[in-house]
Amino acid sequence: MARVPSADYSGRTPSIPQGQWMISDRELRRFGVTQPERIRALLESSGLSDTEHIDSLEICADIEQFAVFCARAHDECPSLISLLQNDAVSARRLAVVLGFSSWWGDYLLQHPNFFLPDAPGATKLCITDELCRLLPKGWPATAADEAPESRWEEAASYLRMVYRRRLFDIIADDLLAENAYAPDHVESITARLSEAADEALQGALYIARLLEAPDAEVPLCIIAMGKTGGGELNYVSDVDVMYVLADSAPTEDAELTRLRLERATRIASLVASICSSPSKEAPLWSVDANLRPEGRDGALVRTIDSYRAYWDRWAQNWEFQALLKARPCAGDMEVGARFLEYAAPFIWEASARPGFVDDVRSMRAQVENSVPPKVRDSELKLGVGGLRDIEFSIQFLQLVHGRNDIQIRQRSTLGALEALSARGYIARADAANLREAYAFLRILEHRSQLLRMHRTHTLPSGLRQLERLLRSLHAAPATVEQLHEHLRALRLRVRELHHSVFFRPIIAASARLDEDLIHLDDQAAMDRLRAIGYLDPRSALKHIESLCAGTSRRAMIQRHLLPVLLSWIADGANPDMGLLNFRVLSDEIGDSHWYLALLRDSDYAASQLCRVLSASAWIGSLIRLFPEAVSWLDSAELLATPSFDVLSRQMRSVAGRAGSIDEAIEKIRLIRTREVLRIALREATGSKEGVGRDLCVVADACVLSALEAFDLFDESEERIPDLHIELCALGSYGARELSYTSDLDVLAVVADSCDASALRRAHDRITRLKQLFSTSSRALPVALDFALRPEGKNGALVRTLDSYTEYYERWAQVWEKQMLVRLRPLGAGNTADALYQFAQTYCFRSPLSDDETRDIQLMKVRVERERIPGGIDPRMHIKLGPGGLSDIQWLVELLQLQSGSEDRDLRTSSTRQALLELLHRGKLTQSEYQRAASTWEFGQELRRARVIAAGPSASKNDVIPSNTEQLVAMAMLMGYSRDQREEMTTKWLTSSRKMREVFEKLFWNISRN
C-alpha cells in the first residue's frame, strides 16, 4: 500500500508550478463532471485555476463539490485558498477530503484557523499534552465563576478540535490510499481511529479529574469495549466503555468507600459530557456505557469486586462475549490490568455455561431479523452475510477454543481471524476469503459514514452519493449496479464461509484429512460440536466419521456438503436426533444417484430435509419407509395431496394385484401412510393450509377402497352380491378437521332390503376391516371407531337405514342429536346419503327445547370432570382444557342446533365455516368470532405440531409437553424460534383463557328465547 506523507500545513512547501494548458471538457467529464464550464467558473471565482490543480482535481470524488467549496472559501476563509495555492501536499489532501465529504467543507469554513501552525492539534503532542499547552494557565481556577455544568466547555472545545485535527489526517490518508480494499489498510485505519479515541478519552479524563478531584487520588480506569476495545473503530460510532474503580482497602471506612465511588461516578459522567454533550464545538461521538452490568439501570462505576460478584451471580452469556473486546484505554492501567485478570476466567468458560448455545443462536437470529426489508440490499453490518455475521463466527470460535488455547485470545476481528487460521481452527483459504470480505464491507461502511460524518451502516440511497463513493475507491466495481450485485454475491459467500468455518475443520478431523493445514483434534472437534448445540458430541463425531468414511462417490460428495448440512441440522430443534436420522437415511439410500444430486443441487430441499430430520423422529422413521419423500421437498407441487379420485385409483390398483385381503389392506394402508407423510412434510416445512381437509381426503380414499377390496376376496360360500356397506363420518372426521392421530369416527349403514344373514356378513366384514386396519405393521394404523353408534359398544356395528332412524326418533339422547350435526356421508352411496338427509331433518326440524339445552350443558360439565387424565394440567390440554377446542366445538354445535332450523346455512359440519355463518347472522360479535376462530386455528396447529414433534402418544396427543426438547421442536414447527417456546405456551394460555370467557358468557345463557 502506498502511504501518502502527512502534511505539516506550515505553508513552507514550494508552490505548484504554473501550467500553460487548460484541462479539456473530456477530461473533466472523465472525472465525473457534467458541467465543465461551471466548474471553471467556480474555480476562477475562487482565484484558482484548473491548470494549477489538475492533480488535485483528478483525485476528487466530486469535483463539483470541491469547486463549490473553493468558491465559498474565497469569500469566507481566504486562508484556505492560500493553503491550496501554496502547498501542493496540503492541496492534494484537502481536495481528496473536501471532494468527498460535504461535512468537512462546512466544518473548515467554520474553523478558518484549523491549519495554522499554532492551532489545536498542530503539534505532534498527545491530546492530553496538547490540552496542557492550550488551556489558560491556572485552569480550571480561571473558570471558577462559570456555572458548574459549563466549566468544562472551554477545555472540551480544545479537546474536540485536537481530535478532529487527528481525524482529518486519518481521513486524508484513507482516501488517498491506492488500495483501499486491502485488509492491512483497513486494519491500519481502524487502529489509528481507536488510538485517537483512546487519546480523547484520556484527555477527557484529565479534564474531569481537574474539575472534580484535582488533589484526590481516584484509581479509575476506562475499559474500552466493542469496536473501540478491539482497536477497530469506525469514523462515526458509539464508543463503548465501562468504568472500573480499584477495590477499597479491607480496613477502609464504608463512608469513605461510598464517597470515593460517588467521586469516581461524577468523573465518569463528566468524561461522557466532555466527549458527547452539545457545546460550542460539535460532539465527537456518543460515549456509551450500556454494556455495563444491568445496562442503563446499573451503577455507572463499579469496583473490581462488584464486577466479579455480578459476573458470578447475574451475568448473561452475551455479556461474557462482549468482554472479549475489553481493553484498558485510559486512566489507571494497573486497575485495568487487574480487571482483565479477573474477567478472563469468566470469558473463557462462557461456552460451558448453561444456555450458551441457545443464547448465541438467539442473538444471531435477533441481529439477522433486525434489518428492515427495505434496506436489506444496502445494509453492511447486520443481516445475513454482513459484518456482524463475520464477527459472530470469529468470536464464537474464540469462545469455544480459547478455553484451552491462549494464542487465539485476540481482541481485533482480523487479528483473531489470523490467529484462528495459524492455530489450525480455520482453513487458510476460508480465513483469507473472510479477511477480504470483512475489509471490503468495512471500507464501504467507512465511506458511507464519511459522506456526511454521521453514524450509519447502510450504503447511501442517493445515486450521486453512491457514484462519489465508487470514485473514491479507485477500483472496481465501477457502477452502482455492479456494486449492489457484488454485495449480494459477497453476502452469500460470507454465509457459505460461515458454514465452512464452523464445520469444515470438524469434517477434516473426522475423516483424518490434512486439509488446508487444519489441525483440529477429536477433543477440539467435540468442543465445537457441543458449543454449536450437539448434546452428545462424541456420538455426533462418530456419525460424521461414518458419513465421511471411504473414497466412494457418496463419501466425497458428503464431505463436500456436510459443512452446510451440519449447520442446518444444528439450527434445528434437536441436532443430535437430526444427525442420527440423516446418517441412517444416508446409509439406506446414500448411494442413490437422485438423492446425492438433490442434496448437491437443491439448497432448499437439503435445508428443509435437515430441518425436518432434527424436528421429528416420527417423520424421520416414515421417510426411511418412503425414501422418495426426500425428493418431494424440492417442489411444492410434489408436496400437494393428490385428489380423492387419484388416490382411490392407486389404492384399488394395488388391492387388485394383491394375493389376499390381508395383503390388499396392508398395501392400501401403506399408500395412506405415504400420503400422511406427504402432508406432515408439507406442514413441517411451513405450509399449514388445508392439512385437516387433506387428511380427510386420504382417509376417505383409504376406508372406501378397503371396503371395496373385500368384494375381491369374498371367500364365503354364500355370496351376497348386493351387500353394499356404506359409511358416514362423524366428529372431526365428519367435519374434515382431522389431526394426524385422530380416530375415524364412523357409522356403518346398509339398505333396508338386507336380511339378518346379510347383516351378519356386514358385521363380520366391518369387524375384519377394523382388525386389519389396526394390525401392527410397517404402515400407520387406521383407528376406525364405531363408538358413537346407537347404544355405543353394546349396539350393532352395522344397522339398516330404518333401524337408525327408528333409534334416533324413539330412544336417542340429546347428545346424540348434537353428534349428528357433524355427520357426513362417505362416497356416493344412496343409503349413506339418505341417513345424512335424515340427520339434517332430525337435528334442525325445530330449535332445542329448554330441557334439551340443559341436558347438553350438563353433559358438558360431566365431560370436563371425567375426561381429562389425572396428573395433567387442564390448561395445557389443547382439546379438553378450559377454552380449548372442545369448548369451541360444543358452543358452535349448541348455537347451530338452536338456530339451524331457521337458517340452512348454519347446517354445516365444518366448525370454521359454522363460526363464520354465526358471525354473519349476528349470533356472534366480531370480537367473539375472532377469539373463537383464532383459538380454533391455533389449537388445531398445536395438536398437529405436538404429534410431529413428539410422535403419536395415545394419552398425550392433545397436551402441550413439559419436555424441553419436545417443546422446542413444537415451537419451531409453529414458527417460533428456539428461545420463544415459552411465548408459544403463553399465547395458548392467554388465547384459551379469553376463549373460556367467551364460552362462559354464551354457552350457559343459551335458551329458546
Side-chain angles (χ1 to χ4, degrees):
M1 178 187 70
R3 290 294 302 274
V4 179
S6 300
D8 64 12
Y9 305 108
S10 64
R12 294 190 296 271
T13 304
S15 62
I16 303 170
Q18 298 293 315
Q20 300 299 319
W21 49 273
M22 296 289 290
I23 186 170
S24 68
D25 289 357
R26 181 179 179 183
E27 286 294 314
L28 284 173
R29 287 195 172 92
R30 186 171 65 85
F31 298 152
V33 174
T34 58
Q35 298 176 305
E37 292 300 328
R38 181 170 182 264
I39 299 304
R40 288 197 183 90
L42 287 170
L43 291 173
E44 290 173 3
S45 69
S46 64
L48 300 173
S49 167
D50 57 0
T51 60
E52 296 172 343
H53 298 89
I54 177 67
D55 186 49
S56 298
L57 292 178
E58 187 173 7
I59 62 171
C60 275
D62 191 332
I63 294 176
E64 183 176 355
Q65 179 171 282
F66 176 65
V68 170
F69 167 81
C70 292
R72 291 177 61 196
H74 181 266
D75 298 327
E76 301 175 32
C77 189
S79 61
L80 285 173
I81 296 298
S82 176
L83 187 65
L84 285 166
Q85 290 174 330
N86 300 313
D87 186 339
V89 174
S90 298
R92 182 176 173 83
R93 296 171 71 77
L94 273 168
V96 77
V97 174
L98 299 175
F100 186 78
S101 174
S102 58
W103 185 92
W104 275 99
D106 295 334
Y107 181 82
L108 291 180
L109 291 176
Q110 295 166 9
H111 297 75
N113 299 326
F114 189 80
F115 293 116
L116 293 182
D118 60 346
T123 70
K124 300 302 180 184
L125 298 173
C126 70
I127 289 180
T128 302
D129 291 343
E130 264 289 88
L131 290 172
C132 293
R133 179 179 76 85
L134 295 168
L135 287 170
K137 188 175 182 179
W139 190 91
T142 57
D145 295 336
E146 298 180 17
E149 62 271 12
S150 61
R151 292 172 61 205
W152 53 266
E153 288 196 5
E154 180 182 13
S157 294
Y158 282 129
L159 170 72
R160 296 174 185 186
M161 285 189 283
V162 173
Y163 173 85
R164 288 202 167 90
R165 184 66 177 265
R166 302 276 195 278
L167 185 61
F168 183 91
D169 285 344
I170 296 171
I171 294 171
D173 289 345
D174 185 10
L175 291 171
L176 285 168
E178 292 180 2
N179 187 3
Y181 297 124
D184 288 344
H185 169 72
V186 174
E187 199 168 19
S188 170
I189 293 299
T190 56
R192 290 173 64 186
L193 289 169
S194 301
E195 290 166 6
D198 289 355
E199 285 193 40
L201 288 170
Q202 184 65 56
L205 186 58
Y206 167 76
I207 297 169
R209 279 175 165 161
L210 286 177
L211 290 170
E212 288 291 339
D215 301 320
E217 181 182 352
V218 184
L220 177 70
C221 182
I222 301 177
I223 305 296
M225 303 288 288
K227 281 186 165 55
T228 315
E232 50 194 13
L233 198 61
N234 290 327
Y235 282 111
V236 187
S237 178
D238 288 353
V239 171
D240 295 311
V241 300
M242 293 199 299
Y243 301 96
V244 58
L245 184 67
D247 291 327
S248 57
T251 58
E252 185 175 83
D253 180 72
E255 180 63 17
L256 184 60
T257 300
R258 183 184 66 80
L259 292 174
R260 193 163 60 91
L261 195 59
E262 288 182 355
R263 185 185 301 118
T265 300
R266 290 195 300 272
I267 290 173
S269 297
L270 195 51
V271 166
S273 296
I274 291 167
C275 295
S276 309
S277 292
S279 182
K280 292 180 291 185
E281 181 72 16
L284 299 182
W285 13 251
S286 173
V287 177
D288 190 343
N290 288 335
L291 290 177
R292 67 186 185 271
E294 300 177 80
R296 294 180 181 179
D297 298 326
L300 184 61
V301 179
R302 289 177 180 257
T303 62
I304 296 175
D305 277 346
S306 178
Y307 276 105
R308 290 175 64 190
Y310 175 81
W311 294 333
D312 194 45
R313 296 186 63 187
W314 309 112
Q316 300 179 48
N317 288 318
W318 70 263
E319 295 178 90
F320 299 120
Q321 184 173 351
L323 285 170
L324 273 172
K325 304 275 187 185
R327 173 179 62 84
C329 68
D332 192 321
M333 293 297 163
E334 185 177 336
V335 172
R338 288 203 299 273
F339 173 89
L340 292 185
E341 179 185 350
Y342 288 121
F346 291 97
I347 297 170
W348 302 113
E349 291 299 323
S351 63
R353 285 168 56 96
F356 173 77
V357 175
D358 286 349
D359 288 349
V360 168
R361 284 175 171 150
S362 176
M363 287 174 57
R364 179 176 159 208
Q366 288 176 15
V367 168
E368 292 182 359
N369 296 332
S370 65
V371 183
K374 63 180 181 180
V375 298
R376 195 163 289 160
D377 287 343
S378 58
E379 174 66 38
L380 301 168
K381 178 179 179 181
L382 308 176
V384 175
L387 286 164
R388 187 60 61 83
D389 218 357
I390 299 173
E391 294 164 352
F392 168 86
S393 299
I394 293 169
Q395 291 173 21
F396 188 82
L397 290 178
Q398 284 183 280
L399 289 171
V400 171
H401 299 296
R403 298 173 64 193
N404 303 312
D405 192 341
I406 63 173
Q407 299 300 319
I408 63 172
R409 299 180 182 181
Q410 306 292 324
R411 293 189 183 94
S412 76
T413 300
L414 292 178
L417 181 58
E418 183 177 353
L420 286 165
S421 176
R423 299 290 292 174
Y425 297 106
I426 297 179
R428 289 185 303 174
D430 289 345
N433 286 328
L434 278 177
R435 184 177 173 86
E436 292 176 4
Y438 183 79
F440 180 78
L441 291 169
R442 283 303 298 271
I443 203 65
L444 290 182
E445 183 182 43
H446 286 177
R447 293 293 197 265
S448 299
Q449 293 174 349
L450 280 178
L451 286 166
R452 295 196 306 252
M453 288 304 292
H454 75 299
R455 181 185 176 188
T456 183
H457 305 294
T458 61
L459 288 173
S461 56
L463 179 60
R464 182 177 176 184
Q465 289 182 324
L466 280 170
E467 290 176 340
R468 190 191 312 165
L469 186 152
L470 287 174
R471 284 195 292 270
S472 76
L473 297 174
H474 316 300
T479 67
V480 172
E481 291 76 13
Q482 290 175 358
L483 173 63
H484 283 299
E485 183 59 36
H486 183 71
L487 264 179
R488 280 190 288 271
L490 182 139
R491 289 191 186 98
L492 290 174
R493 178 60 179 148
V494 167
R495 178 42 59 98
E496 291 173 359
L497 287 169
H498 170 82
H499 298 143
S500 180
V501 159
F502 275 85
F503 295 102
R504 186 177 166 200
I506 296 173
I507 294 161
S510 302
R512 305 293 183 256
L513 302 173
D514 186 14
E515 186 174 341
D516 202 7
L517 296 183
I518 298 174
H519 303 294
L520 208 62
D521 59 26
D522 284 357
Q523 186 58 51
M526 287 190 290
D527 287 344
R528 189 175 296 193
L529 285 167
R530 183 182 293 106
I532 291 163
Y534 291 90
L535 300 180
D536 185 1
R538 188 176 303 278
S539 295
L541 199 59
K542 289 180 179 178
H543 296 325
I544 295 170
E545 290 174 358
S546 174
L547 289 165
C548 297
T551 58
S552 66
R553 178 174 176 270
R554 180 181 76 175
M556 289 188 290
I557 291 177
Q558 288 183 158
R559 280 198 295 270
H560 175 70
L561 297 176
L562 269 176
V564 67
L565 296 177
L566 288 173
S567 177
W568 286 331
I569 292 172
D571 287 339
N574 187 332
D576 297 271
M577 179 181 71
L579 184 55
L580 172 61
N581 283 336
F582 182 81
R583 176 189 172 180
V584 172
L585 183 64
S586 181
D587 287 344
E588 292 186 4
I589 64 170
D591 291 324
S592 302
H593 174 75
W594 66 266
Y595 173 70
L596 294 174
L598 183 76
L599 294 181
R600 182 191 63 211
D601 300 334
S602 176
D603 284 353
Y604 178 76
S607 65
Q608 295 294 61
L609 176 64
C610 293
R611 175 185 178 182
V612 167
L613 292 179
S614 63
S616 175
W618 180 60
I619 290 183
S621 66
L622 294 180
I623 289 179
R624 291 195 291 275
L625 186 59
F626 299 99
E628 70 272 17
V630 175
S631 65
W632 303 342
L633 295 169
D634 197 34
S635 168
E637 293 181 357
L638 292 176
L639 284 174
T641 301
S643 69
F644 171 82
D645 290 340
V646 170
L647 290 174
S648 296
R649 283 196 299 271
Q650 292 178 1
M651 292 177 178
R652 287 196 298 267
S653 176
V654 297
R657 296 193 298 271
S660 66
I661 186 61
D662 297 52
E663 183 183 350
I665 299 300
E666 173 67 7
K667 289 183 176 181
I668 290 171
R669 284 175 58 188
L670 282 171
I671 292 177
R672 172 184 175 267
T673 302
R674 182 195 69 194
E675 295 309 317
V676 169
L677 170 60
R678 192 191 307 270
I679 296 168
L681 281 174
R682 192 174 78 225
E683 182 161 27
T685 54
S687 179
K688 299 178 173 60
E689 184 64 30
V691 171
R693 178 198 62 229
D694 287 350
L695 286 170
C696 286
V697 169
V698 174
D700 288 355
C702 173
V703 172
L704 294 176
S705 298
L707 267 179
E708 289 183 21
F710 275 90
D711 292 332
L712 301 174
F713 301 97
D714 192 344
E715 300 172 354
S716 64
E717 297 179 358
E718 182 184 359
R719 294 182 59 86
I720 303 177
D722 295 328
L723 180 60
H724 296 300
I725 303 173
E726 298 179 21
L727 299 175
C728 289
L730 298 168
S732 60
Y733 186 25
R736 294 186 175 90
E737 295 163 349
L738 284 178
S739 181
Y740 295 106
T741 55
S742 297
D743 290 348
L744 304 185
D745 293 311
V746 293
L747 299 177
V749 59
V750 294
D752 293 332
S753 59
C754 289
D755 58 16
S757 175
L759 282 172
R760 283 195 301 273
R761 292 285 308 284
H763 177 278
D764 293 343
R765 184 170 292 188
I766 290 296
T767 301
R768 179 70 170 141
L769 178 61
K770 285 185 61 181
Q771 177 190 357
L772 292 175
F773 268 170
S774 60
T775 300
S776 178
S777 72
R778 295 183 302 159
L780 293 174
V782 182
L784 203 60
D785 193 341
F786 292 83
L788 295 178
R789 67 187 184 269
E791 301 178 83
K793 293 181 179 179
N794 297 320
L797 277 177
V798 184
R799 286 176 179 260
T800 64
L801 178 61
D802 281 345
S803 177
Y804 276 111
T805 58
E806 181 182 8
Y807 172 83
Y808 289 124
E809 292 286 10
R810 297 183 61 183
W811 294 295
Q813 300 179 48
V814 69
W815 69 265
E816 293 178 282
K817 176 184 287 191
Q818 179 186 352
M819 173 266 297
L820 291 176
V821 168
R822 298 206 288 176
L823 183 142
R824 173 176 64 88
L826 299 186
N830 294 331
T831 308
D833 187 65
L835 181 57
Y836 166 74
Q837 296 299 333
F838 164 78
Q840 291 285 292
T841 302
Y842 174 68
C843 292
F844 300 113
R845 63 164 60 111
S846 63
L848 290 175
S849 67
D850 289 343
D851 288 342
E852 288 177 318
T853 300
R854 185 170 56 254
D855 286 346
I856 290 177
Q857 292 168 337
L858 291 174
M859 176 63 73
K860 180 68 169 77
V861 173
R862 189 158 58 251
V863 167
E864 290 184 0
R865 186 171 58 246
E866 297 175 357
R867 291 189 62 188
I868 297 180
I872 292 177
D873 183 349
R875 300 175 306 155
M876 295 298 182
H877 204 291
I878 303 165
K879 180 179 179 181
L880 302 177
L885 300 178
S886 179
D887 277 2
I888 300 171
Q889 176 191 327
W890 280 68
L891 175 62
V892 168
E893 290 171 354
L894 187 54
L895 289 170
Q896 286 179 283
L897 289 169
Q898 192 64 39
S899 304
S901 61
E902 302 169 357
D903 194 330
R904 298 186 63 87
D905 289 336
L906 287 175
R907 304 175 189 180
T908 173
S909 62
S910 166
T911 305
R912 183 162 55 178
Q913 182 62 33
L915 282 169
L916 192 60
E917 297 296 340
L918 289 167
L919 169 67
H920 291 162
R921 281 143 188 84
K923 305 300 180 181
L924 295 175
T925 66
Q926 183 68 39
S927 62
E928 290 166 348
Y929 165 76
Q930 289 178 342
R931 173 54 53 202
S934 62
T935 304
W936 179 263
E937 292 299 326
F938 189 53
Q940 292 284 16
E941 291 176 12
L942 281 174
R943 292 181 78 194
R944 298 195 301 266
R946 169 68 172 81
V947 175
I948 294 175
S953 169
S955 62
K956 295 185 178 180
N957 282 335
D958 296 321
V959 181
I960 296 177
S962 56
N963 178 284
T964 300
E965 289 183 4
Q966 294 176 0
L967 196 60
V968 167
M970 190 172 167
M972 295 182 74
L973 288 166
M974 292 290 293
Y976 294 87
S977 64
R978 176 184 300 274
D979 58 327
Q980 291 177 319
R981 56 185 180 272
E982 296 302 330
E983 292 183 26
M984 177 192 70
T985 303
T986 300
K987 179 179 177 180
W988 170 250
L989 293 175
T990 302
S991 186
S992 60
R993 174 178 56 79
K994 292 180 177 179
M995 181 59 226
R996 183 65 177 191
E997 293 172 0
V998 174
F999 176 82
E1000 295 280 357
K1001 171 186 171 185
L1002 298 177
F1003 188 78
W1004 308 111
N1005 296 309
I1006 293 176
S1007 67
R1008 295 189 64 180
N1009 297 325

